[in-house]
Coordinates of all heavy atoms in Angstrom, one line a residue:
T289 N 59.1 -20.9 5.8 CA 58.6 -21.7 7.0 C 57.7 -20.9 7.9 O 57.4 -21.4 9.0 CB 59.8 -22.2 7.8 OG1 60.5 -21.0 8.2 CG2 60.7 -23.1 7.0
T290 N 57.4 -19.7 7.6 CA 56.7 -18.8 8.5 C 55.2 -19.3 8.6 O 54.6 -19.8 7.7 CB 56.6 -17.4 8.1 OG1 55.8 -17.2 7.0 CG2 58.0 -16.8 7.9
E291 N 54.7 -19.2 9.9 CA 53.4 -19.7 10.1 C 52.3 -18.9 9.2 O 51.4 -19.5 8.8 CB 53.0 -19.4 11.6 CG 52.2 -20.5 12.2 CD 52.1 -20.3 13.7 OE1 53.1 -20.3 14.4 OE2 51.0 -20.1 14.1
E292 N 52.6 -17.6 9.0 CA 51.7 -16.8 8.2 C 51.6 -17.4 6.8 O 50.5 -17.6 6.3 CB 52.3 -15.4 8.2 CG 51.3 -14.4 7.6 CD 52.1 -13.2 7.1 OE1 53.3 -13.0 7.4 OE2 51.4 -12.4 6.5
E293 N 52.8 -17.7 6.3 CA 52.8 -18.3 4.9 C 52.1 -19.6 4.9 O 51.3 -19.8 3.9 CB 54.3 -18.5 4.6 CG 54.8 -17.6 3.5 CD 56.1 -18.2 3.0 OE1 57.1 -18.1 3.7 OE2 56.1 -18.7 1.8
L294 N 52.3 -20.4 5.9 CA 51.7 -21.7 5.8 C 50.2 -21.6 5.9 O 49.4 -22.4 5.3 CB 52.2 -22.6 7.0 CG 53.6 -23.1 6.9 CD1 54.0 -24.0 8.1 CD2 53.9 -23.8 5.6
S295 N 49.7 -20.6 6.6 CA 48.3 -20.5 6.8 C 47.6 -20.0 5.5 O 46.4 -20.2 5.3 CB 47.9 -19.6 8.0 OG 48.3 -18.3 7.7
T296 N 48.3 -19.2 4.7 CA 47.7 -18.7 3.5 C 47.9 -19.5 2.2 O 47.1 -19.4 1.3 CB 48.2 -17.3 3.2 OG1 49.6 -17.3 3.2 CG2 47.7 -16.3 4.3
M297 N 48.9 -20.4 2.2 CA 49.2 -21.0 0.9 C 48.2 -22.2 0.7 O 47.6 -22.7 1.6 CB 50.7 -21.5 0.9 CG 50.9 -22.8 1.5 SD 52.7 -22.8 1.9 CE 52.7 -24.1 3.1
E298 N 48.2 -22.6 -0.5 CA 47.3 -23.7 -0.9 C 47.7 -25.0 -0.2 O 48.9 -25.3 -0.1 CB 47.3 -23.9 -2.4 CG 46.1 -24.7 -2.8 CD 46.3 -25.4 -4.2 OE1 47.1 -25.0 -5.0 OE2 45.6 -26.4 -4.4
K299 N 46.7 -25.7 0.4 CA 47.1 -26.9 1.1 C 47.2 -28.1 0.2 O 46.2 -28.4 -0.5 CB 46.1 -27.1 2.3 CG 46.3 -26.1 3.3 CD 45.2 -25.7 4.2 CE 45.6 -24.4 4.9 NZ 45.8 -23.2 4.1
I300 N 48.3 -28.8 0.2 CA 48.5 -29.9 -0.6 C 49.0 -31.1 0.2 O 49.7 -30.9 1.3 CB 49.5 -29.7 -1.8 CG1 50.8 -29.0 -1.3 CG2 48.8 -28.8 -2.8 CD1 51.9 -28.9 -2.3
G301 N 48.8 -32.3 -0.3 CA 49.2 -33.5 0.5 C 49.5 -34.6 -0.5 O 49.2 -34.6 -1.7
L302 N 50.1 -35.7 0.1 CA 50.4 -36.8 -0.7 C 50.2 -38.1 0.1 O 50.7 -38.2 1.3 CB 51.9 -36.8 -1.2 CG 52.3 -38.0 -2.1 CD1 51.9 -37.7 -3.5 CD2 53.7 -38.3 -2.0
D303 N 49.4 -39.0 -0.4 CA 49.1 -40.2 0.4 C 50.3 -41.1 0.4 O 50.9 -41.4 -0.7 CB 47.9 -40.9 -0.3 CG 47.4 -42.1 0.6 OD1 48.0 -42.4 1.6 OD2 46.3 -42.6 0.2
T304 N 50.8 -41.5 1.6 CA 52.0 -42.3 1.7 C 51.6 -43.8 1.4 O 52.5 -44.6 1.3 CB 52.6 -42.2 3.1 OG1 51.7 -42.8 4.0 CG2 53.0 -40.8 3.4
G305 N 50.3 -44.1 1.4 CA 50.0 -45.5 1.2 C 49.9 -46.3 2.5 O 49.4 -47.4 2.6
F306 N 50.5 -45.7 3.6 CA 50.4 -46.4 4.9 C 49.2 -46.0 5.6 O 48.6 -45.0 5.3 CB 51.7 -46.0 5.7 CG 52.9 -46.6 5.2 CD1 53.7 -46.0 4.2 CD2 53.4 -47.8 5.8 CE1 54.8 -46.7 3.8 CE2 54.5 -48.4 5.4 CZ 55.3 -47.9 4.3
K307 N 48.8 -46.8 6.6 CA 47.6 -46.5 7.4 C 47.9 -46.6 8.8 O 48.7 -47.4 9.3 CB 46.5 -47.5 7.0 CG 46.0 -47.3 5.6 CD 44.6 -48.0 5.5 CE 43.8 -47.4 4.3 NZ 44.5 -47.0 3.1
A308 N 47.3 -45.7 9.6 CA 47.5 -45.7 11.1 C 46.3 -46.4 11.7 O 45.2 -46.4 11.1 CB 47.6 -44.3 11.6
I309 N 46.5 -47.0 12.9 CA 45.4 -47.7 13.6 C 44.8 -46.8 14.6 O 45.6 -46.1 15.4 CB 46.0 -49.0 14.2 CG1 46.5 -49.9 13.1 CG2 44.9 -49.7 15.0 CD1 47.4 -51.0 13.6
H310 N 43.5 -46.7 14.6 CA 42.9 -45.8 15.6 C 43.2 -46.2 17.0 O 43.0 -47.4 17.4 CB 41.4 -45.8 15.3 CG 40.7 -44.6 15.9 ND1 40.5 -44.5 17.3 CD2 40.2 -43.5 15.4 CE1 39.9 -43.3 17.5 NE2 39.7 -42.7 16.4
P311 N 43.6 -45.3 17.9 CA 44.1 -45.6 19.2 C 42.9 -46.0 20.1 O 43.2 -46.7 21.2 CB 44.8 -44.4 19.7 CG 44.2 -43.3 18.9 CD 43.8 -43.8 17.6
L312 N 41.7 -45.7 19.8 CA 40.6 -46.0 20.7 C 39.8 -47.2 20.1 O 38.9 -47.7 20.8 CB 39.6 -44.8 20.9 CG 40.3 -43.6 21.6 CD1 39.3 -42.4 21.6 CD2 40.6 -44.0 23.1
D313 N 40.0 -47.6 18.8 CA 39.3 -48.7 18.2 C 40.2 -49.3 17.1 O 40.2 -48.8 16.0 CB 38.0 -48.2 17.7 CG 37.2 -49.4 17.0 OD1 37.8 -50.5 16.8 OD2 36.0 -49.2 16.8
P314 N 40.9 -50.4 17.4 CA 41.9 -50.9 16.5 C 41.2 -51.4 15.2 O 42.0 -51.7 14.2 CB 42.5 -52.1 17.3 CG 41.7 -52.3 18.5 CD 40.9 -51.1 18.7
S315 N 39.9 -51.5 15.1 CA 39.3 -52.0 13.9 C 39.3 -50.8 12.8 O 39.0 -51.1 11.7 CB 37.9 -52.5 14.1 OG 37.0 -51.4 14.4
I316 N 39.5 -49.6 13.3 CA 39.5 -48.5 12.3 C 40.9 -48.1 11.9 O 41.9 -48.1 12.7 CB 38.9 -47.2 13.0 CG1 37.5 -47.5 13.6 CG2 38.8 -46.0 12.0 CD1 37.0 -46.4 14.5
T317 N 41.1 -48.0 10.5 CA 42.4 -47.5 10.0 C 42.2 -46.2 9.3 O 41.2 -45.9 8.8 CB 43.1 -48.5 9.1 OG1 42.2 -48.7 8.0 CG2 43.4 -49.8 9.8
I318 N 43.3 -45.4 9.3 CA 43.3 -44.0 8.8 C 44.5 -43.8 7.9 O 45.6 -44.1 8.3 CB 43.4 -43.0 10.0 CG1 42.3 -43.4 11.1 CG2 43.2 -41.6 9.6 CD1 42.6 -42.7 12.4
P319 N 44.3 -43.2 6.7 CA 45.4 -43.0 5.8 C 46.4 -42.0 6.3 O 46.0 -41.0 7.0 CB 44.7 -42.6 4.5 CG 43.4 -42.0 4.9 CD 43.0 -42.8 6.1
I320 N 47.7 -42.2 6.0 CA 48.7 -41.3 6.5 C 49.2 -40.5 5.3 O 49.6 -41.0 4.3 CB 49.9 -42.0 7.1 CG1 49.4 -42.9 8.3 CG2 51.0 -41.1 7.5 CD1 50.5 -43.8 8.8
Y321 N 49.1 -39.2 5.4 CA 49.5 -38.2 4.3 C 50.7 -37.5 4.7 O 50.9 -37.2 5.9 CB 48.4 -37.2 4.0 CG 47.3 -37.7 3.1 CD1 46.4 -38.7 3.5 CD2 47.2 -37.2 1.8 CE1 45.4 -39.1 2.7 CE2 46.2 -37.7 0.9 CZ 45.3 -38.7 1.4 OH 44.4 -39.1 0.5
A322 N 51.5 -37.1 3.7 CA 52.5 -36.0 4.0 C 51.8 -34.7 3.5 O 51.0 -34.7 2.5 CB 53.7 -36.2 3.1
A323 N 51.9 -33.6 4.3 CA 51.2 -32.4 3.9 C 52.0 -31.2 4.2 O 52.8 -31.1 5.1 CB 49.8 -32.4 4.7
N324 N 51.7 -30.1 3.4 CA 52.5 -28.9 3.5 C 52.1 -28.0 4.6 O 52.8 -27.1 4.9 CB 52.6 -28.2 2.1 CG 51.2 -27.6 1.8 OD1 50.2 -27.9 2.3 ND2 51.3 -26.6 0.9
F325 N 50.9 -28.2 5.1 CA 50.4 -27.2 6.1 C 50.8 -27.6 7.5 O 50.5 -26.8 8.4 CB 48.9 -27.1 6.0 CG 48.1 -28.3 6.3 CD1 47.8 -28.6 7.6 CD2 47.6 -29.2 5.3 CE1 47.1 -29.8 8.0 CE2 46.9 -30.3 5.6 CZ 46.7 -30.6 7.0
V326 N 51.4 -28.7 7.7 CA 51.7 -29.1 9.1 C 53.1 -28.5 9.5 O 54.1 -28.6 8.8 CB 51.8 -30.6 9.3 CG1 52.0 -31.0 10.7 CG2 50.5 -31.3 8.8
L327 N 53.1 -27.7 10.6 CA 54.3 -27.1 11.0 C 55.3 -28.1 11.5 O 54.9 -28.9 12.3 CB 54.0 -26.1 12.1 CG 53.1 -24.9 11.8 CD1 52.5 -24.2 13.0 CD2 53.9 -23.9 10.9
A328 N 56.5 -28.0 11.0 CA 57.5 -29.0 11.4 C 57.8 -28.9 12.9 O 58.1 -29.9 13.6 CB 58.8 -28.9 10.6
D329 N 57.8 -27.7 13.4 CA 58.3 -27.6 14.8 C 57.2 -27.2 15.8 O 57.5 -26.6 16.8 CB 59.5 -26.6 14.8 CG 59.0 -25.2 14.3 OD1 57.9 -25.1 13.9 OD2 59.8 -24.3 14.4
Y330 N 56.0 -27.5 15.5 CA 54.9 -27.3 16.5 C 54.4 -28.7 16.9 O 54.2 -29.5 16.1 CB 53.8 -26.4 16.0 CG 52.8 -26.1 17.1 CD1 53.1 -25.3 18.2 CD2 51.5 -26.6 17.0 CE1 52.2 -25.0 19.2 CE2 50.6 -26.4 18.0 CZ 50.9 -25.6 19.1 OH 50.0 -25.3 20.1
G331 N 54.2 -28.8 18.2 CA 53.7 -30.1 18.7 C 54.7 -31.2 18.3 O 55.9 -31.1 18.6
T332 N 54.2 -32.2 17.6 CA 55.1 -33.3 17.1 C 55.4 -33.2 15.6 O 56.0 -34.1 15.1 CB 54.5 -34.6 17.4 OG1 53.3 -34.7 16.7 CG2 54.2 -34.8 18.9
G333 N 54.9 -32.2 15.0 CA 55.0 -32.1 13.5 C 54.1 -33.1 12.8 O 54.3 -33.4 11.6
A334 N 53.0 -33.5 13.5 CA 52.0 -34.4 12.9 C 50.7 -34.1 13.5 O 50.6 -33.7 14.7 CB 52.4 -35.8 13.1
V335 N 49.6 -34.3 12.7 CA 48.3 -34.0 13.3 C 47.3 -35.1 12.8 O 47.6 -35.8 11.8 CB 47.7 -32.7 12.8 CG1 48.5 -31.5 13.2 CG2 47.5 -32.7 11.3
F336 N 46.2 -35.3 13.6 CA 45.1 -36.1 12.9 C 44.1 -35.0 12.4 O 43.9 -34.0 13.1 CB 44.5 -37.1 13.9 CG 43.5 -36.6 14.9 CD1 42.2 -36.4 14.5 CD2 43.9 -36.4 16.2 CE1 41.3 -36.0 15.4 CE2 42.9 -36.0 17.1 CZ 41.6 -35.8 16.7
G337 N 43.5 -35.3 11.3 CA 42.6 -34.4 10.7 C 41.2 -34.8 11.0 O 40.8 -35.9 10.8
C338 N 40.4 -33.8 11.5 CA 39.0 -34.1 11.7 C 38.1 -33.1 10.9 O 37.8 -32.0 11.4 CB 38.7 -33.9 13.2 SG 37.0 -34.1 13.6
P339 N 37.9 -33.5 9.6 CA 37.3 -32.5 8.7 C 36.0 -31.9 9.1 O 35.7 -30.8 8.7 CB 37.1 -33.3 7.4 CG 37.9 -34.6 7.6 CD 38.1 -34.8 9.1
A340 N 35.2 -32.6 9.9 CA 33.8 -32.1 10.2 C 33.9 -30.9 11.1 O 33.0 -30.1 11.2 CB 33.0 -33.2 10.8
H341 N 35.0 -30.8 11.8 CA 35.1 -29.8 12.9 C 36.3 -28.9 12.8 O 36.7 -28.3 13.8 CB 34.9 -30.4 14.2 CG 33.7 -31.3 14.3 ND1 32.4 -30.7 14.2 CD2 33.5 -32.6 14.4 CE1 31.5 -31.7 14.3 NE2 32.1 -32.8 14.3
D342 N 37.0 -28.8 11.7 CA 38.1 -28.0 11.5 C 38.2 -27.5 10.1 O 38.1 -28.4 9.1 CB 39.4 -28.7 11.9 CG 40.6 -27.8 11.8 OD1 41.2 -27.8 10.7 OD2 41.0 -27.2 12.8
E343 N 38.3 -26.2 9.9 CA 38.2 -25.6 8.6 C 39.3 -26.2 7.6 O 39.0 -26.6 6.5 CB 38.3 -24.1 8.7 CG 38.0 -23.3 7.5 CD 36.9 -22.3 7.7 OE1 36.6 -22.1 8.9 OE2 36.4 -21.8 6.8
R344 N 40.5 -26.2 8.1 CA 41.6 -26.6 7.3 C 41.5 -28.1 6.9 O 41.7 -28.4 5.8 CB 42.9 -26.3 8.1 CG 44.2 -26.7 7.5 CD 45.3 -26.6 8.5 NE 45.1 -27.5 9.6 CZ 45.8 -27.5 10.7 NH1 46.7 -26.6 11.0 NH2 45.6 -28.5 11.6
D345 N 41.1 -28.9 7.9 CA 41.0 -30.3 7.7 C 39.8 -30.5 6.7 O 39.9 -31.5 5.8 CB 40.7 -31.0 9.0 CG 41.9 -30.9 10.0 OD1 42.9 -30.5 9.5 OD2 41.7 -31.3 11.1
F346 N 38.8 -29.7 6.8 CA 37.7 -29.8 5.9 C 38.1 -29.6 4.4 O 37.8 -30.4 3.5 CB 36.6 -28.8 6.3 CG 35.3 -28.9 5.5 CD1 34.3 -29.8 5.9 CD2 35.1 -28.1 4.3 CE1 33.1 -29.9 5.2 CE2 34.0 -28.2 3.6 CZ 32.9 -29.1 4.0
D347 N 38.9 -28.5 4.2 CA 39.4 -28.2 2.8 C 40.2 -29.4 2.3 O 40.1 -29.8 1.2 CB 40.2 -27.0 2.9 CG 39.4 -25.7 3.2 OD1 38.2 -25.8 3.2 OD2 40.0 -24.7 3.5
F348 N 41.1 -29.9 3.2 CA 42.0 -30.9 2.8 C 41.2 -32.2 2.4 O 41.4 -32.8 1.4 CB 42.9 -31.2 3.9 CG 44.1 -32.1 3.6 CD1 45.2 -31.5 2.9 CD2 44.1 -33.4 3.9 CE1 46.3 -32.3 2.5 CE2 45.2 -34.2 3.5 CZ 46.3 -33.7 2.8
A349 N 40.2 -32.6 3.3 CA 39.4 -33.8 3.0 C 38.6 -33.6 1.8 O 38.4 -34.6 1.0 CB 38.5 -34.0 4.2
T350 N 38.1 -32.5 1.5 CA 37.3 -32.2 0.3 C 38.2 -32.4 -0.9 O 37.8 -33.1 -1.9 CB 36.7 -30.8 0.3 OG1 36.0 -30.6 1.6 CG2 35.7 -30.6 -0.8
K351 N 39.3 -31.8 -0.8 CA 40.3 -31.9 -2.0 C 40.7 -33.3 -2.3 O 40.8 -33.7 -3.4 CB 41.5 -31.0 -1.6 CG 42.5 -31.0 -2.7 CD 43.4 -29.8 -2.5 CE 44.5 -29.8 -3.6 NZ 45.4 -28.6 -3.5
Y352 N 40.9 -34.2 -1.2 CA 41.4 -35.5 -1.5 C 40.4 -36.6 -1.2 O 40.7 -37.7 -1.0 CB 42.7 -35.7 -0.6 CG 43.8 -34.9 -1.1 CD1 44.2 -33.7 -0.4 CD2 44.5 -35.1 -2.2 CE1 45.2 -32.9 -0.8 CE2 45.5 -34.3 -2.7 CZ 45.9 -33.2 -2.0 OH 46.9 -32.4 -2.4
N353 N 39.1 -36.1 -1.2 CA 38.0 -37.1 -1.2 C 38.1 -38.0 0.0 O 37.9 -39.2 -0.1 CB 38.1 -38.0 -2.4 CG 36.9 -37.6 -3.3 OD1 35.8 -37.4 -2.8 ND2 37.1 -37.6 -4.6
L354 N 38.3 -37.5 1.2 CA 38.4 -38.2 2.4 C 37.1 -38.1 3.2 O 36.4 -37.1 3.0 CB 39.5 -37.7 3.3 CG 40.9 -38.0 2.6 CD1 42.0 -37.1 3.2 CD2 41.3 -39.4 2.8
P355 N 36.7 -39.1 4.0 CA 35.4 -39.0 4.7 C 35.3 -37.8 5.6 O 36.3 -37.4 6.2 CB 35.4 -40.4 5.5 CG 36.6 -41.1 5.2 CD 37.5 -40.3 4.3
I356 N 34.1 -37.3 5.7 CA 33.8 -36.2 6.6 C 32.7 -36.7 7.6 O 31.5 -36.6 7.3 CB 33.4 -35.0 5.9 CG1 34.5 -34.6 4.9 CG2 33.1 -33.8 6.8 CD1 34.2 -33.4 3.9
L357 N 33.1 -37.1 8.8 CA 32.1 -37.7 9.7 C 31.9 -36.8 10.9 O 32.9 -36.5 11.7 CB 32.7 -39.1 10.2 CG 31.8 -39.7 11.3 CD1 30.5 -40.2 10.7 CD2 32.6 -40.8 12.0
P358 N 30.7 -36.2 11.0 CA 30.5 -35.3 12.2 C 30.5 -36.1 13.5 O 29.9 -37.2 13.5 CB 29.1 -34.7 11.9 CG 28.5 -35.5 10.8 CD 29.5 -36.3 10.1
V359 N 31.2 -35.6 14.5 CA 31.2 -36.3 15.8 C 30.6 -35.3 16.9 O 30.6 -35.7 18.0 CB 32.5 -36.8 16.2 CG1 32.9 -38.0 15.3 CG2 33.6 -35.8 16.1
I360 N 30.3 -34.1 16.5 CA 29.6 -33.2 17.4 C 28.3 -32.9 16.8 O 28.2 -32.6 15.6 CB 30.4 -31.8 17.6 CG1 31.9 -32.0 17.8 CG2 29.7 -30.9 18.6 CD1 32.2 -32.2 19.2
E361 N 27.2 -33.1 17.6 CA 25.9 -33.0 17.1 C 25.6 -31.5 16.7 O 25.9 -30.6 17.5 CB 24.9 -33.4 18.1 CG 23.5 -33.6 17.6 CD 22.7 -34.3 18.6 OE1 22.7 -33.9 19.8 OE2 21.9 -35.2 18.3
T362 N 25.1 -31.3 15.5 CA 24.8 -29.9 15.0 C 23.8 -30.0 13.8 O 23.8 -30.9 13.1 CB 26.1 -29.2 14.6 OG1 25.7 -27.9 14.2 CG2 26.8 -29.8 13.5
D363 N 23.1 -28.9 13.7 CA 22.2 -28.7 12.5 C 22.9 -27.8 11.5 O 22.4 -27.5 10.4 CB 20.9 -28.1 12.9 CG 20.1 -29.0 13.8 OD1 20.3 -30.2 13.6 OD2 19.3 -28.5 14.6
E364 N 24.0 -27.2 12.0 CA 24.7 -26.2 11.1 C 25.6 -26.9 10.1 O 25.9 -28.1 10.2 CB 25.5 -25.3 12.0 CG 24.6 -24.5 12.9 CD 25.4 -23.4 13.6 OE1 26.3 -22.9 13.0 OE2 25.0 -23.1 14.7
P365 N 25.9 -26.1 9.0 CA 26.7 -26.7 8.0 C 28.1 -27.0 8.5 O 28.6 -26.4 9.4 CB 26.8 -25.6 6.9 CG 26.4 -24.3 7.6 CD 25.5 -24.7 8.7
L366 N 28.8 -28.0 7.9 CA 30.1 -28.4 8.3 C 31.1 -27.5 7.5 O 30.8 -27.1 6.4 CB 30.4 -29.8 8.0 CG 29.4 -30.8 8.7 CD1 29.8 -32.3 8.3 CD2 29.6 -30.6 10.3
P367 N 32.3 -27.2 8.0 CA 32.8 -27.6 9.3 C 32.2 -26.8 10.4 O 32.0 -25.6 10.3 CB 34.3 -27.3 9.2 CG 34.4 -26.2 8.2 CD 33.3 -26.4 7.2
Y368 N 31.9 -27.5 11.5 CA 31.2 -26.9 12.7 C 32.2 -26.9 13.8 O 32.7 -28.0 14.2 CB 30.0 -27.7 13.0 CG 29.4 -27.2 14.3 CD1 28.8 -26.0 14.4 CD2 29.4 -28.1 15.4 CE1 28.2 -25.6 15.6 CE2 28.8 -27.7 16.7 CZ 28.2 -26.4 16.7 OH 27.7 -26.0 17.9
T369 N 32.5 -25.7 14.4 CA 33.6 -25.7 15.4 C 33.0 -25.3 16.8 O 33.7 -25.0 17.7 CB 34.7 -24.6 15.0 OG1 34.1 -23.4 14.7 CG2 35.5 -25.1 13.8
G370 N 31.7 -25.3 16.9 CA 31.0 -24.9 18.1 C 30.9 -26.0 19.1 O 31.5 -27.1 18.9
S371 N 30.1 -25.8 20.1 CA 29.9 -26.9 21.1 C 28.7 -27.8 20.8 O 27.9 -27.5 19.9 CB 29.8 -26.2 22.5 OG 28.6 -25.4 22.5
G372 N 28.6 -28.8 21.6 CA 27.5 -29.8 21.3 C 27.8 -31.1 21.9 O 28.9 -31.3 22.6
L373 N 26.9 -32.1 21.8 CA 27.1 -33.4 22.4 C 27.8 -34.3 21.3 O 27.6 -34.1 20.1 CB 25.8 -34.0 22.8 CG 25.1 -33.2 24.0 CD1 23.8 -33.9 24.4 CD2 26.0 -33.1 25.2
I374 N 28.5 -35.3 21.8 CA 29.3 -36.2 20.9 C 28.4 -37.2 20.3 O 27.5 -37.8 21.0 CB 30.4 -36.9 21.7 CG1 31.3 -35.9 22.5 CG2 31.2 -37.8 20.9 CD1 32.1 -35.0 21.7
V375 N 28.6 -37.4 19.0 CA 27.8 -38.5 18.3 C 28.8 -39.3 17.5 O 30.0 -38.9 17.3 CB 26.8 -37.9 17.3 CG1 25.6 -37.3 18.1 CG2 27.4 -36.9 16.4
N376 N 28.3 -40.4 16.9 CA 29.2 -41.3 16.0 C 30.5 -41.7 16.7 O 31.5 -41.9 16.0 CB 29.5 -40.6 14.7 CG 28.2 -40.3 13.9 OD1 27.2 -41.1 14.0 ND2 28.2 -39.2 13.2
S377 N 30.6 -41.8 18.0 CA 31.8 -42.0 18.7 C 31.8 -43.1 19.7 O 32.4 -42.9 20.8 CB 32.3 -40.7 19.3 OG 32.5 -39.7 18.3
E378 N 31.1 -44.2 19.4 CA 31.1 -45.3 20.4 C 30.8 -44.9 21.8 O 29.8 -44.2 22.1 CB 32.4 -46.1 20.2 CG 32.7 -46.5 18.8 CD 33.9 -47.5 18.6 OE1 34.4 -47.9 19.6 OE2 34.2 -47.7 17.4
F379 N 31.8 -45.2 22.7 CA 31.5 -44.9 24.1 C 31.5 -43.5 24.5 O 31.3 -43.1 25.6 CB 32.6 -45.7 25.0 CG 34.0 -45.5 24.5 CD1 34.7 -44.4 24.8 CD2 34.5 -46.4 23.6 CE1 36.0 -44.2 24.4 CE2 35.8 -46.2 23.1 CZ 36.6 -45.1 23.5

Side-chain angles (χ1 to χ4, degrees):
T289 60
T290 68
E291 218 173 297
E292 190 201 353
E293 249 192 290
L294 290 185
S295 67
T296 53
M297 86 200 159
E298 198 202 336
K299 289 156 192 62
I300 50 170
L302 182 84
D303 190 350
T304 63
F306 286 86
K307 291 199 158 35
I309 299 167
H310 198 287
L312 294 173
D313 180 348
S315 70
I316 307 172
T317 60
I318 308 163
I320 302 170
Y321 277 72
N324 69 343
F325 65 81
V326 186
L327 296 163
D329 60 354
Y330 185 68
T332 62
V335 300
F336 82 78
C338 177
H341 305 294
D342 182 273
E343 191 122 13
R344 180 189 64 192
D345 297 347
F346 185 87
D347 294 346
F348 193 80
T350 311
K351 181 162 181 180
Y352 293 103
N353 251 323
L354 294 159
I356 300 175
L357 176 71
V359 290
I360 311 277
E361 195 169 41
T362 179
D363 295 329
E364 295 191 30
L366 301 178
Y368 171 70
T369 54
S371 60
L373 296 180
I374 307 291
V375 291
N376 298 327
S377 298
E378 305 188 8
F379 48 84

